[in-house]
Amino acid sequence: MSLTDQRDVGKVIISLFGTFLGFLFTLLAIIASLSSHQLIKNMTVTGHYTNLMLSSKILSSLLFTVIATYLATLFFIAPQLFAWATSLTVLTMAFGCRTIYKFFLVLNNLHS
């Protein structure tokens, strides 16, 4: 892949993952505002709430790491750095799907 293509991919991933990070913080705020709901109370008692918050912290750290790594690829010409950033992107996307699925399970079960 040419250097120009690598920089274009980096710019897209930075903006996309920055948006994902914003959505993650919004989901955290929604869940935190529902702390008086019975489902959230039950999740706290069983430990699922702590697990959800830990997954959110790990995901936000991964998103930030990917953003920082792609920023580094914009400034430094190193094919190994781009390969490392691509690997982190795949890992983050897989972990993100898992975490977002947890959020949607919670939001889907709030009505009951």
Side-chain angles (χ1 to χ4, degrees):
M1 184 179 285
S2 71
L3 182 61
T4 306
D5 292 339
Q6 288 180 8
R7 288 180 189 259
D8 289 341
V9 168
K11 290 175 188 175
V12 168
I13 295 292
I14 288 169
S15 61
L16 185 66
F17 277 22
T19 304
F20 287 163
L21 194 58
F23 281 128
L24 178 64
F25 290 151
T26 303
L27 279 172
L28 287 170
I30 290 170
I31 297 296
S33 69
L34 296 171
S35 62
S36 63
H37 196 276
Q38 187 62 37
L39 176 66
I40 304 301
K41 289 179 183 178
N42 290 342
M43 285 177 62
T44 304
V45 169
T46 60
H48 290 94
Y49 186 78
T50 306
N51 185 1
L52 181 65
M53 291 301 119
L54 179 63
S55 293
S56 301
K57 289 176 187 176
I58 293 170
L59 180 58
S60 63
S61 298
L62 283 171
L63 287 169
F64 181 75
T65 303
V66 169
I67 291 169
T69 306
Y70 273 108
L71 279 173
T73 63
L74 292 178
F75 293 111
F76 304 111
I77 301 171
Q80 296 85 8
L81 186 60
F82 184 77
W84 178 251
T86 305
S87 300
L88 275 175
T89 302
V90 172
L91 172 72
T92 302
M93 289 170 52
F95 193 79
C97 289
R98 177 183 172 273
T99 305
I100 297 302
Y101 177 71
K102 287 181 180 183
F103 273 112
F104 284 124
L105 281 178
V106 171
L107 294 176
N108 191 31
N109 290 316
L110 280 175
H111 62 82
S112 56

